């Protein structure tokens, strides 16, 4: 077969040709190519344009560090923006586009910006686009940047998420990774071994058959999080309708072995960004793996030994290697070997400039120690292979909290100390051997010397940042965009440190390095989301008794993430009529309520009670194991966060209940404090809401109905008073019975394992049949609690409410103990006498929820608002609960009620408890 493309110097026997399209032009590669190797084989030099100046850019590397060759794949809903051409396997009929360049990437008229580059120095946008505001310029700036285009429709591909546990996670499939895997398998450890490429770099036949070794090719480790959680992204082979396109792995491991290799660093000289300038190691990869030459006339420029093998292999493959330029005096054995080939070696020299408008055609070589233009040699070439040394790939180590420092001998960043969970092997442990020569050109135009190719950051930009007193490396990064976005310090990290050090006239070891943020390479949103899209984005939760309630005429609505019965409608009944009937049912008989979404969190450990006590304004230290205590939880700001109950189940076990909507956020709140603030606490926090079904039976016959189920405990009022709790058995399983009430009636909340919920529901309905028991919904419960004046966090509170506003100032003011948020309660803002306070209202006509209130003779726009309202079930009197300015001092005052900006009625301020204020029915 003929070789596709003019730069394909050899082809694998039997390789299958593949046609693809680049910017509308049909090209041909072969099986095993990447998009980058196929473009190089076809003589395509200009692949993209630079971000700011629209300078032509070609392929620089052969892997994940590629800063230039970002391309768009496909169109429409299948579009993949900003894909690295070096990582994309070539596929039949693949559509590839340069996403910059007008009218096209090879002839970009916006290159005119490059000729006025002094106007666009670092930070120019902060200084220039002040008037009238940034938004006036933003559309133009974005268009000039010519970035990729997002997909226009829904992603047709599938994505998956998997969790894995292992003893050893090995990252990197080269020879060092093979040795690490063989050593780990000797001790029968579970090994997960990942490699970014499709194949591992050595013979692994011995390892593939072992049951304790799992290999993941086409997989890259993208992030290292706390507690040794490592995120991997796998590109699944044969992706399509039957399999996912990508798979996100969340791996928890005991040990991580980093065999991640090293990233070759460039040389810094004038016009070091032209297409045709490539990292020497990358050129060798294209030659060995794809049979593609980087050019016809090649110059190799280096400051270390590694590039000599590149030159040797190039020449032996038939590539014309014009010269090797070494900034050192090369070792004698290397110099002798090159003369024998023969290859010309230009010692003590470095590239100082290049020529070529669209692509490289000439390089100027300057001898170190010469002055200005003296002793400059110009060499014609179409490829310049550069090697400025190697930087270990330690991004995951840094993400894990490992510290790095600049080693003057190796002229790169190395670990300061070991990490308890990480072992670094191979070239990632020591990337360079031998002496390194100069890699920064001593002469030339700093404004044309690129340090960060992705963001067009030059030596002049760094010098300007230093002159403007941005001396910290992190500040320089933000001012110039050095190492930001997808680069994260991969290419040019070590030369950048030397440029900054030279500009500041200090040693590079003194400046530190920028933060390497996850992900290590860009990750698609699809990978992060997995299957959590569409109906699975926020899955609807249904209680264990959902089907039974549906048969009873339940009107389901969304309450948070749960489907819950708002009311149970009978034939011919309106929603309002159903709610009214259910309220009377509970007041005069007995009702059944599904409270399963009530948040339930267990704290387990010897410090469990002490840990819980740090969050509630109520003292828990003297809580009896058979008692329940109501508690209010605050933010650090003193603002009411959530409320619920606390129960001691055992010496090392505490059970909290929260509001239904607050279950998730309270768990995260507790876990954040446990991990980040009190890491020495001996307790774990476990959310158990979904593990328990909760049924509340309320009304004057509640005890009688429950007794018919024969629980193994005494239900009498003397043995089991209000705010008591008992652990017993029902239907052959553990049951927890709370004597608590949100309705103001005698009430029991019964918790059983979720799978026993339907049995409990049916059993209570059967036991209460003679008492006329029926289910009631959320709206009836909210009306019942409003009549009783019980707090509803989220409805009666907002982001400014403190305990004293809702009548809990006394328990919150305890001087004997401390809890989260206590200190903030003494802030002047929180003790003002005119704060909004919880009160009740009585009117003569309906009081609309949300209506604003105004006190007599008030000039304020509003003095408060109504949070909940309705007709009192016993007298049909319009009543409401409200937040009113200095409300407790306004009892007996008549206030105006405003709706839509006009007075609609008046109401009298009363105490916020309209039903059974003494609590006789609740405590019966």
């Amino acid at each position: 077969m003929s070789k596709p493309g003019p730069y394909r110097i050899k082809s694998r026997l039997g390789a299958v040709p593949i046609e693809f399209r680049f910017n509308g032009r049909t090209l041909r590669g072969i099986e095993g190519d990447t998009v980058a190797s196929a473009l190089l084989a076809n003589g395509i030099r200009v692949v993209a344009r630079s971000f700011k100046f629209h300078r032509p850019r070609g392929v620089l590397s052969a892997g994940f560090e590629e800063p230039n060759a970002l391309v768009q794949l496909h169109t429409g809903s299948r579009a993949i923006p900003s894909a690295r051409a070096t990582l994309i396997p070539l596929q039949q009929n693949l559509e590839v586009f340069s996403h910059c360049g007008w009218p096209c990437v090879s002839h970009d008229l916006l290159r005119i910006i490059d000729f006025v580059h002094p106007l666009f120095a670092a930070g120019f946008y902060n200084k220039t686009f002040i008037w009238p505001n940034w938004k006036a310029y933003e559309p133009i700036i974005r268009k000039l940047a010519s970035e990729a285009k997002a997909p226009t429709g829904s992603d047709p591909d599938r994505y998956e998420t998997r969790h894995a546990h292992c003893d050893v996670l090995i990252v990197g499939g080269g020879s060092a990774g093979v040795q690490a895997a063989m050593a780990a398998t000797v001790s029968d450890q579970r090994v997960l071994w990942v490699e970014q490429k499709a194949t591992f770099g050595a013979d692994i036949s011995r390892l593939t058959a072992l049951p304790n070794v799992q290999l993941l090719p086409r997989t890259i480790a993208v992030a290292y999080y706390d507690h040794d959680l490592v995120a991997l992204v796998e590109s699944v082979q044969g992706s399509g309708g039957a399999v996912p396109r990508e798979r996100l792995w969340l791996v928890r491991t005991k040990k991580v072995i980093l065999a991640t290799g090293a990233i070759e660093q460039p040389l810094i000289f004038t016009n070091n960004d032209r297409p045709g300038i490539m990292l020497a190691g990358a050129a060798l990869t294209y030659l060995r793996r794809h049979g593609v030459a980087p050019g016809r006339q090649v110059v190799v420029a280096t400051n270390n030994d590694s590039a000599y093998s590149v030159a040797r292999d190039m020449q032996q493959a038939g590539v014309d290697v014009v010269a090797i330029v070494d900034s050192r005096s090369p070792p004698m054995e290397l110099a002798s070997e090159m003369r024998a080939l023969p290859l010309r070696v230009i010692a003590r020299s470095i590239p100082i400039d290049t020529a070529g408008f669209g692509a490289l055609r000439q390089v100027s070589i300057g001898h170190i120690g010469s002055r200005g233009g003296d002793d400059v040699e110009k060499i014609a070439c179409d490829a310049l292979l550069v090697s400025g040394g190697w930087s270990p790939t330690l991004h995951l180590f840094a993400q894990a909290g490992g510290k790095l420092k600049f080693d003057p001998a190796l002229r790169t960043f190395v670990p300061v100390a070991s990490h308890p969970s990480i072992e670094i092997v191979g070239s990632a442990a020591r990337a360079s051997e031998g002496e390194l020569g100069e890699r920064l050109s001593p002469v030339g135009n700093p404004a044309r010397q690129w340090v960060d190719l992705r963001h067009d950051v030059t030596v002049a930009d760094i010098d300007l940042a230093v002159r403007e007193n941005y001396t910290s490396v992190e500040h320089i990064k933000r001012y110039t965009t050095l190492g930001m976005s997808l680069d994260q310090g991969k290419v040019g990290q070590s030369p950048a440190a030397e440029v900054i050090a030279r500009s500041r006239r200090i040693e590079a070891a003194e400046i530190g390095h920028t933060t390497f943020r996850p992900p290590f390479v860009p990750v698609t949103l699809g990978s992060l989301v997995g299957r959590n899209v569409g109906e699975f984005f926020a899955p609807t939760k249904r209680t264990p008794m959902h089907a039974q309630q549906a048969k009873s005429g339940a009107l389901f609505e969304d309450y948070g993430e749960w489907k819950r019965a708002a009311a149970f409608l009978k034939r011919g009944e309106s929603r309002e009529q159903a709610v009214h009937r259910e309220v009377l049912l509970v007041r005069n008989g007995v009702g059944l309520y599904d409270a399963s979404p009530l948040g339930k969190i267990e704290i387990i450990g010897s410090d469990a009670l002490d840990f819980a006590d740090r969050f509630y304004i109520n003292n828990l230290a003297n809580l009896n194991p058979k008692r329940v205590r109501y508690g209010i939880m605050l933010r650090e700001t003193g603002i009411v966060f959530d409320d619920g109950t606390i129960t001691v189940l055992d010496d090392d076990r505490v059970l909290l209940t929260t509001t239904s909507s607050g279950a998730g956020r309270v768990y995260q709140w507790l876990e954040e404090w446990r991990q980040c603030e009190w890491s020495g606490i001996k307790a774990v926090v476990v959310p158990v809401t979904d593990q328990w079904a909760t049924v509340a039976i309320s009304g004057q016959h509640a005890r009688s109905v429950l007794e018919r189920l024969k629980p193994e405990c005494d239900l009498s009022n003397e043995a089991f008073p209000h705010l008591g709790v008992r652990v017993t058995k029902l239907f052959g399983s553990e049951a927890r019975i709370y004597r608590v009430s949100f309705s103001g009636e005698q009430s029991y909340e019964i918790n059983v394992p979720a799978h026993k919920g339907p049995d409990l529901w049916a059993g209570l309905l059967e036991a209460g049949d003679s008492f006329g028991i029926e289910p009631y919904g959320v709206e009836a419960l909210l009306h019942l609690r409003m009549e009783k004046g019980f707090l509803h966090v989220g409805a009666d509170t907002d982001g400014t409410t403190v305990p004293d506003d809702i009548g809990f100032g006394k328990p919150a003011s305890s001087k004997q103990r401390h809890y989260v948020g206590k200190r903030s309660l003494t802030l002047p803002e929180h003790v003002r006498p005119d704060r909004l306070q919880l009160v009740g209202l009585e009117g003569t006509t309906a009081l609309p929820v949300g209506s604003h209130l105004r006190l007599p003779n008030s000039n304020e726009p509003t003095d408060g608002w109504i949070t909940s309202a309705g007709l009192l079930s016993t007298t049909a009197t319009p009543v409401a609960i409200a937040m009113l300015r200095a409300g407790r001092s306004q009892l007996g005052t008549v206030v105006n009620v405003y709706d839509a900006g006009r007075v609609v009625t008046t109401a009298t301020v009363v105490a916020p408890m309209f039903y059974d204020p003494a609590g006789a029915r609740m405590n019966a």
Side-chain angles (χ1 to χ4, degrees), residues 285-298:
T285 297
Y286 289 118
L287 180 69
R288 290 178 174 175
R289 188 179 302 162
H290 305 289
V292 174
R296 294 187 177 90
Q297 290 181 295
V298 175

Side-chain angles (χ1 to χ4, degrees), residues 83-331:
R84 279 184 164 101
T86 53
L87 299 181
I88 305 302
L90 196 64
Q91 299 175 5
Q92 194 72 34
N93 300 320
L94 178 68
E95 289 277 350
V96 183
F97 303 91
S98 299
H99 51 60
C100 52
W102 182 81
C104 64
V105 70
S106 57
H107 298 86
D108 186 0
L109 295 182
L110 294 177
R111 174 75 187 278
I112 192 173
I113 299 173
D114 189 35
F115 297 102
V116 290
H117 64 83
L119 300 176
F120 299 94
F124 76 94
Y125 37 83
N126 293 324
K127 302 172 183 176
T128 307
F129 304 119
I130 298 174
W131 183 91
N133 55 61
W134 165 252
K135 289 190 178 297
Y137 303 96
E138 184 177 9
I140 301 173
I141 300 297
R142 288 188 179 277
K143 191 170 183 63
L144 290 176
S146 300
E147 286 301 290
K149 296 178 175 60
T152 56
S154 299
D155 191 340
D157 293 319
R158 279 201 306 117
Y159 302 85
E160 283 185 353
T161 301
R162 285 190 181 175
H163 294 260
H165 293 78
C166 62
D167 296 312
V168 180
L169 171 65
I170 302 174
V171 182
S175 57
V178 172
Q179 294 176 14
M182 294 181 68
T185 55
V186 171
S187 56
D188 261 353
Q189 298 181 91
R190 293 173 300 165
V191 176
L192 183 61
W193 189 12
V194 303
E195 164 56 39
Q196 154 200 339
K197 297 189 264 306
T199 58
F200 289 76
D203 181 14
I204 57 172
S205 55
R206 283 184 51 195
L207 298 169
T208 54
L210 295 177
N212 60 323
V213 179
Q214 182 177 3
L215 278 66
L216 288 180
R218 303 182 185 85
T219 303
I220 189 164
V222 296
Y224 199 125
Y225 298 108
D226 293 343
H227 310 294
D228 300 314
L229 171 63
V230 182
L232 318 173
V233 174
E234 176 189 6
S235 296
V236 182
Q237 187 176 20
S239 58
V243 295
R245 173 185 158 201
E246 291 177 339
R247 187 177 288 125
L248 176 68
W249 291 77
L250 298 175
V251 181
R252 288 165 175 83
T253 181
K254 295 178 182 177
K255 181 179 181 180
V256 176
I257 297 178
L258 295 181
T260 46
I263 300 172
E264 195 166 19
Q265 303 293 282
L267 299 174
I268 308 300
F269 52 89
T270 302
N271 294 310
N272 60 332
D273 66 326
R274 297 193 193 279
I277 300 176
M278 184 183 296
L279 296 175
L284 188 60
T285 297
Y286 289 118
L287 180 69
R288 290 178 174 175
R289 188 179 302 162
H290 305 289
V292 174
R296 294 187 177 90
Q297 290 181 295
V298 175
V299 172
V300 178
T302 184
N303 72 342
N304 63 90
D305 294 351
S306 67
Y308 282 81
S309 61
V310 177
R312 180 181 59 244
D313 284 18
M314 287 283 169
Q315 190 194 53
Q316 290 174 352
V319 178
D320 181 12
V321 180
V322 179
I324 301 174
V325 180
D326 195 333
S327 61
R328 313 165 298 166
S329 294

Side-chain angles (χ1 to χ4, degrees), residues 691-713:
Q691 278 67 53
W692 295 86
T694 303
V695 179
I697 180 170
S698 307
Q700 57 186 318
H701 303 304
R703 182 182 295 116
S704 301
V705 174
L706 184 55
E707 284 176 336
R708 293 183 177 183
L709 297 185
K710 296 182 170 51
E712 298 176 2
C713 62

Side-chain angles (χ1 to χ4, degrees), residues 830-845:
H830 292 165
V831 295
R832 287 189 297 104
D834 62 341
R835 287 185 61 83
L836 295 172
Q837 296 175 341
L838 193 72
V839 297
L841 298 176
E842 286 187 358
T844 56
T845 60

Side-chain angles (χ1 to χ4, degrees), residues 473-694:
V473 65
E474 291 285 5
H475 292 163
I476 292 173
K477 172 181 178 178
R478 282 154 182 79
Y479 188 72
T480 64
T481 68
L482 172 70
M484 293 179 71
S485 183
L486 54 77
D487 181 68
Q488 293 300 318
K490 296 181 183 68
V491 177
Q493 172 199 170
S494 301
E498 293 188 324
V499 170
I500 296 171
R502 186 178 67 180
S503 184
R504 291 187 56 194
R505 295 182 174 83
I506 60 174
E507 296 297 323
E510 299 179 42
I511 65 171
H513 63 89
T514 57
T515 302
F516 301 144
R517 290 182 171 82
F520 175 63
V521 296
V523 177
T524 62
L525 294 178
S527 293
L528 298 178
V529 173
R531 294 190 179 188
N532 300 325
V533 295
E535 61 179 320
F536 301 114
F537 174 69
T540 299
K541 291 188 175 181
R542 295 178 174 84
T543 72
M545 293 77 78
H546 183 90
Q548 292 163 295
Q549 294 173 45
K551 293 178 181 178
S552 299
L555 175 63
F556 290 107
E557 289 191 354
D558 293 325
Y559 290 88
E561 54 191 4
W562 292 87
K563 283 286 186 186
R564 305 181 68 181
F568 291 83
L569 274 61
K570 294 186 176 181
R571 186 184 298 273
E573 201 174 42
S574 69
R575 181 178 183 141
E576 291 74 15
Q577 290 170 335
V579 172
H580 181 65
R581 171 181 53 78
E582 291 169 9
V583 169
L584 295 179
L585 168 75
V586 177
R587 291 282 181 244
N588 301 322
V590 62
L592 200 61
Y593 175 73
D594 183 358
S596 298
L598 189 73
K600 294 171 276 287
I601 300 171
E602 287 194 23
I603 304 175
I604 305 168
S606 57
D607 295 334
L609 186 59
D610 173 57
F611 181 65
D613 190 45
R614 302 182 187 195
F615 293 95
Y616 289 95
I617 67 173
N618 317 69
N619 183 20
L620 304 183
N622 59 359
L623 179 59
N624 187 296
K626 291 188 176 182
R627 298 291 291 171
V628 178
R629 186 156 295 168
Y630 172 78
I632 290 178
M633 187 180 291
L634 310 181
R635 292 281 192 186
E636 306 106 308
T637 55
I639 303 303
V640 173
F641 175 45
D642 202 85
D643 68 341
T645 65
I646 306 95
T647 304
V648 177
L649 296 177
D650 209 334
D651 292 341
D652 61 351
R653 200 172 180 189
V654 174
L655 176 61
L656 315 180
T657 67
T658 72
T659 57
S660 299
S661 61
R665 66 173 182 262
V666 170
Y667 164 68
Q668 293 170 353
W669 176 245
L670 298 176
E671 191 66 12
E672 178 182 345
W673 280 86
R674 187 187 72 83
Q675 292 189 30
C676 303
E677 304 298 334
W678 300 317
S679 57
I681 202 84
K682 296 177 181 177
V684 295
V685 183
V686 185
V688 295
T689 302
D690 297 351
Q691 278 67 53
W692 295 86
T694 303

